[in-house]
Amino acid sequence: YTLIVSQDGFDEDVQHLLKTSHPKVPYLLHNRIVPDKVEEGEDISPAYYAIASHYGFALSTLIWDMGFENVIVLEDDMSISSDFFSYFENTYPLLNQDPTLWTISAFNDNGVPSFASDPSALWRSDFFPGLGWLMTRKLWDELGPKWPKGFWDDWMREPAQRKGRATIRPEVSRSSTFGEEGTSEGQFFEIIARIQVNKNPIDFSTIDLSYLKKELFDVTFEKAINNSVLAK
């Protein structure tokens, strides 16, 4: 894997950290763009527009300019599990086999211990979680030309972008965030902090993941729903 850091803006302390602690890691510098005005009806939250601009810059540079076919996106306030790469390596082929899938995420928004217990279980989800996810060249060729000016993650969840496609995500998260402070000012952090990264590594190369293809998953999922017990 090639690790590349993309820095938004020119903070000297961040640059110093990269050059001294990780001198061999290549990094990109993005000239932070914060709009002074937005179109009528849009919310003016400058930081969210800066984030979307940075994402667009980084993905365009890595895929269109540097020629990467796939990019796993992580943020600087995240930690990952020891089987994080095994998870992506072995789920990625499904994107080429099933057109009803569009990306893979390492995070489960409902992955608190009371709801998530099986580290080997993977699911299809209509909701795009983000927080450690895969962008393919094919998908960037589709989304890149119309990338939004702000609120990129909400934009990706809109029907016009998702087009009925599903995201693969684990039952037990392979990523977690410790970013209590930031652009969102800790919104929902009390809940997100309860979602722990997986501590029981799984070798996904030993598991047949074809059950995640739509024609197989839907049958199994429907059967599970029909056989479930109504909670009272």
Side-chain angles (χ1 to χ4, degrees), residues 3-19:
L3 174 63
I4 298 178
V5 174
S6 183
Q7 179 184 342
D8 187 25
F10 300 95
D11 185 281
E12 293 182 355
D13 290 336
V14 174
Q15 291 186 51
H16 178 73
L17 175 64
L18 290 170
K19 291 178 180 179

PDB file of all heavy atoms in Angstrom, residues 3-19:
ATOM      1  N   LEU A   3       1.095   5.007   1.130  1.00  0.00           N
ATOM      2  CA  LEU A   3       0.489   5.972   2.049  1.00  0.00           C
ATOM      3  C   LEU A   3       0.821   7.384   1.574  1.00  0.00           C
ATOM      4  O   LEU A   3       1.989   7.724   1.365  1.00  0.00           O
ATOM      5  CB  LEU A   3       1.028   5.762   3.462  1.00  0.00           C
ATOM      6  CG  LEU A   3       0.591   6.794   4.520  1.00  0.00           C
ATOM      7  CD1 LEU A   3      -0.915   6.743   4.718  1.00  0.00           C
ATOM      8  CD2 LEU A   3       1.322   6.559   5.834  1.00  0.00           C
ATOM      9  N   ILE A   4      -0.204   8.188   1.378  1.00  0.00           N
ATOM     10  CA  ILE A   4      -0.025   9.577   0.967  1.00  0.00           C
ATOM     11  C   ILE A   4      -0.881  10.458   1.875  1.00  0.00           C
ATOM     12  O   ILE A   4      -2.057  10.169   2.106  1.00  0.00           O
ATOM     13  CB  ILE A   4      -0.427   9.792  -0.505  1.00  0.00           C
ATOM     14  CG1 ILE A   4       0.471   8.956  -1.429  1.00  0.00           C
ATOM     15  CG2 ILE A   4      -0.336  11.272  -0.883  1.00  0.00           C
ATOM     16  CD1 ILE A   4       0.123   9.064  -2.895  1.00  0.00           C
ATOM     17  N   VAL A   5      -0.284  11.509   2.393  1.00  0.00           N
ATOM     18  CA  VAL A   5      -0.987  12.455   3.252  1.00  0.00           C
ATOM     19  C   VAL A   5      -1.337  13.692   2.441  1.00  0.00           C
ATOM     20  O   VAL A   5      -0.506  14.225   1.700  1.00  0.00           O
ATOM     21  CB  VAL A   5      -0.123  12.861   4.463  1.00  0.00           C
ATOM     22  CG1 VAL A   5      -0.819  13.956   5.278  1.00  0.00           C
ATOM     23  CG2 VAL A   5       0.169  11.656   5.331  1.00  0.00           C
ATOM     24  N   SER A   6      -2.569  14.137   2.575  1.00  0.00           N
ATOM     25  CA  SER A   6      -2.984  15.379   1.937  1.00  0.00           C
ATOM     26  C   SER A   6      -3.329  16.390   3.022  1.00  0.00           C
ATOM     27  O   SER A   6      -4.185  16.137   3.871  1.00  0.00           O
ATOM     28  CB  SER A   6      -4.200  15.145   1.034  1.00  0.00           C
ATOM     29  OG  SER A   6      -4.564  16.338   0.359  1.00  0.00           O
ATOM     30  N   GLN A   7      -2.642  17.518   3.019  1.00  0.00           N
ATOM     31  CA  GLN A   7      -2.835  18.555   4.030  1.00  0.00           C
ATOM     32  C   GLN A   7      -3.673  19.686   3.464  1.00  0.00           C
ATOM     33  O   GLN A   7      -3.395  20.209   2.385  1.00  0.00           O
ATOM     34  CB  GLN A   7      -1.491  19.103   4.505  1.00  0.00           C
ATOM     35  CG  GLN A   7      -1.616  20.221   5.545  1.00  0.00           C
ATOM     36  CD  GLN A   7      -0.278  20.818   5.921  1.00  0.00           C
ATOM     37  OE1 GLN A   7       0.766  20.214   5.685  1.00  0.00           O
ATOM     38  NE2 GLN A   7      -0.293  22.002   6.502  1.00  0.00           N
ATOM     39  N   ASP A   8      -4.674  20.080   4.201  1.00  0.00           N
ATOM     40  CA  ASP A   8      -5.529  21.193   3.786  1.00  0.00           C
ATOM     41  C   ASP A   8      -4.982  22.482   4.388  1.00  0.00           C
ATOM     42  O   ASP A   8      -5.031  22.687   5.597  1.00  0.00           O
ATOM     43  CB  ASP A   8      -6.966  20.948   4.260  1.00  0.00           C
ATOM     44  CG  ASP A   8      -7.930  21.993   3.718  1.00  0.00           C
ATOM     45  OD1 ASP A   8      -7.640  22.589   2.667  1.00  0.00           O
ATOM     46  OD2 ASP A   8      -8.983  22.204   4.353  1.00  0.00           O
ATOM     47  N   GLY A   9      -4.445  23.342   3.544  1.00  0.00           N
ATOM     48  CA  GLY A   9      -3.852  24.580   4.046  1.00  0.00           C
ATOM     49  C   GLY A   9      -2.359  24.411   4.276  1.00  0.00           C
ATOM     50  O   GLY A   9      -1.776  23.366   4.001  1.00  0.00           O
ATOM     51  N   PHE A  10      -1.735  25.441   4.813  1.00  0.00           N
ATOM     52  CA  PHE A  10      -0.275  25.462   4.913  1.00  0.00           C
ATOM     53  C   PHE A  10       0.203  25.671   6.351  1.00  0.00           C
ATOM     54  O   PHE A  10       1.160  26.390   6.595  1.00  0.00           O
ATOM     55  CB  PHE A  10       0.284  26.564   4.005  1.00  0.00           C
ATOM     56  CG  PHE A  10      -0.082  26.374   2.555  1.00  0.00           C
ATOM     57  CD1 PHE A  10      -1.192  27.002   2.017  1.00  0.00           C
ATOM     58  CD2 PHE A  10       0.678  25.550   1.747  1.00  0.00           C
ATOM     59  CE1 PHE A  10      -1.530  26.816   0.687  1.00  0.00           C
ATOM     60  CE2 PHE A  10       0.354  25.356   0.415  1.00  0.00           C
ATOM     61  CZ  PHE A  10      -0.758  25.988  -0.122  1.00  0.00           C
ATOM     62  N   ASP A  11      -0.506  25.048   7.281  1.00  0.00           N
ATOM     63  CA  ASP A  11      -0.107  25.158   8.685  1.00  0.00           C
ATOM     64  C   ASP A  11       1.315  24.634   8.847  1.00  0.00           C
ATOM     65  O   ASP A  11       1.615  23.475   8.543  1.00  0.00           O
ATOM     66  CB  ASP A  11      -1.074  24.359   9.563  1.00  0.00           C
ATOM     67  CG  ASP A  11      -0.788  24.534  11.038  1.00  0.00           C
ATOM     68  OD1 ASP A  11       0.156  23.880  11.536  1.00  0.00           O
ATOM     69  OD2 ASP A  11      -1.491  25.321  11.685  1.00  0.00           O
ATOM     70  N   GLU A  12       2.209  25.470   9.355  1.00  0.00           N
ATOM     71  CA  GLU A  12       3.619  25.107   9.446  1.00  0.00           C
ATOM     72  C   GLU A  12       3.880  23.991  10.447  1.00  0.00           C
ATOM     73  O   GLU A  12       4.786  23.178  10.258  1.00  0.00           O
ATOM     74  CB  GLU A  12       4.443  26.350   9.800  1.00  0.00           C
ATOM     75  CG  GLU A  12       4.459  27.405   8.699  1.00  0.00           C
ATOM     76  CD  GLU A  12       5.328  28.593   9.062  1.00  0.00           C
ATOM     77  OE1 GLU A  12       5.843  28.632  10.201  1.00  0.00           O
ATOM     78  OE2 GLU A  12       5.484  29.483   8.202  1.00  0.00           O
ATOM     79  N   ASP A  13       3.096  23.939  11.518  1.00  0.00           N
ATOM     80  CA  ASP A  13       3.292  22.884  12.508  1.00  0.00           C
ATOM     81  C   ASP A  13       2.976  21.513  11.913  1.00  0.00           C
ATOM     82  O   ASP A  13       3.661  20.520  12.202  1.00  0.00           O
ATOM     83  CB  ASP A  13       2.411  23.133  13.739  1.00  0.00           C
ATOM     84  CG  ASP A  13       2.882  24.324  14.551  1.00  0.00           C
ATOM     85  OD1 ASP A  13       4.078  24.675  14.456  1.00  0.00           O
ATOM     86  OD2 ASP A  13       2.059  24.911  15.284  1.00  0.00           O
ATOM     87  N   VAL A  14       1.920  21.459  11.102  1.00  0.00           N
ATOM     88  CA  VAL A  14       1.555  20.195  10.459  1.00  0.00           C
ATOM     89  C   VAL A  14       2.646  19.787   9.472  1.00  0.00           C
ATOM     90  O   VAL A  14       3.065  18.621   9.427  1.00  0.00           O
ATOM     91  CB  VAL A  14       0.197  20.319   9.745  1.00  0.00           C
ATOM     92  CG1 VAL A  14      -0.113  19.043   8.959  1.00  0.00           C
ATOM     93  CG2 VAL A  14      -0.917  20.589  10.745  1.00  0.00           C
ATOM     94  N   GLN A  15       3.123  20.730   8.688  1.00  0.00           N
ATOM     95  CA  GLN A  15       4.188  20.428   7.734  1.00  0.00           C
ATOM     96  C   GLN A  15       5.452  19.946   8.453  1.00  0.00           C
ATOM     97  O   GLN A  15       6.110  19.000   8.010  1.00  0.00           O
ATOM     98  CB  GLN A  15       4.506  21.664   6.896  1.00  0.00           C
ATOM     99  CG  GLN A  15       3.396  22.051   5.933  1.00  0.00           C
ATOM    100  CD  GLN A  15       3.805  23.182   5.013  1.00  0.00           C
ATOM    101  OE1 GLN A  15       4.855  23.128   4.380  1.00  0.00           O
ATOM    102  NE2 GLN A  15       2.989  24.217   4.942  1.00  0.00           N
ATOM    103  N   HIS A  16       5.769  20.588   9.570  1.00  0.00           N
ATOM    104  CA  HIS A  16       6.955  20.201  10.341  1.00  0.00           C
ATOM    105  C   HIS A  16       6.808  18.781  10.867  1.00  0.00           C
ATOM    106  O   HIS A  16       7.777  17.991  10.836  1.00  0.00           O
ATOM    107  CB  HIS A  16       7.169  21.180  11.494  1.00  0.00           C
ATOM    108  CG  HIS A  16       8.336  20.826  12.375  1.00  0.00           C
ATOM    109  ND1 HIS A  16       9.653  20.981  11.982  1.00  0.00           N
ATOM    110  CD2 HIS A  16       8.378  20.288  13.635  1.00  0.00           C
ATOM    111  CE1 HIS A  16      10.451  20.576  12.945  1.00  0.00           C
ATOM    112  NE2 HIS A  16       9.712  20.151  13.960  1.00  0.00           N
ATOM    113  N   LEU A  17       5.623  18.450  11.363  1.00  0.00           N
ATOM    114  CA  LEU A  17       5.376  17.104  11.882  1.00  0.00           C
ATOM    115  C   LEU A  17       5.584  16.069  10.785  1.00  0.00           C
ATOM    116  O   LEU A  17       6.226  15.029  11.009  1.00  0.00           O
ATOM    117  CB  LEU A  17       3.954  17.014  12.433  1.00  0.00           C
ATOM    118  CG  LEU A  17       3.491  15.630  12.905  1.00  0.00           C
ATOM    119  CD1 LEU A  17       4.316  15.168  14.089  1.00  0.00           C
ATOM    120  CD2 LEU A  17       2.012  15.651  13.260  1.00  0.00           C
ATOM    121  N   LEU A  18       5.054  16.339   9.604  1.00  0.00           N
ATOM    122  CA  LEU A  18       5.181  15.394   8.503  1.00  0.00           C
ATOM    123  C   LEU A  18       6.637  15.219   8.079  1.00  0.00           C
ATOM    124  O   LEU A  18       7.105  14.105   7.833  1.00  0.00           O
ATOM    125  CB  LEU A  18       4.348  15.861   7.311  1.00  0.00           C
ATOM    126  CG  LEU A  18       2.827  15.785   7.481  1.00  0.00           C
ATOM    127  CD1 LEU A  18       2.122  16.502   6.342  1.00  0.00           C
ATOM    128  CD2 LEU A  18       2.388  14.330   7.547  1.00  0.00           C
ATOM    129  N   LYS A  19       7.365  16.327   8.010  1.00  0.00           N
ATOM    130  CA  LYS A  19       8.744  16.277   7.532  1.00  0.00           C
ATOM    131  C   LYS A  19       9.698  15.631   8.538  1.00  0.00           C
ATOM    132  O   LYS A  19      10.667  14.991   8.153  1.00  0.00           O
ATOM    133  CB  LYS A  19       9.221  17.684   7.198  1.00  0.00           C
ATOM    134  CG  LYS A  19       8.538  18.283   5.979  1.00  0.00           C
ATOM    135  CD  LYS A  19       9.010  19.709   5.718  1.00  0.00           C
ATOM    136  CE  LYS A  19       8.321  20.302   4.500  1.00  0.00           C
ATOM    137  NZ  LYS A  19       8.745  21.709   4.249  1.00  0.00           N
TER     138      LYS A  19
END
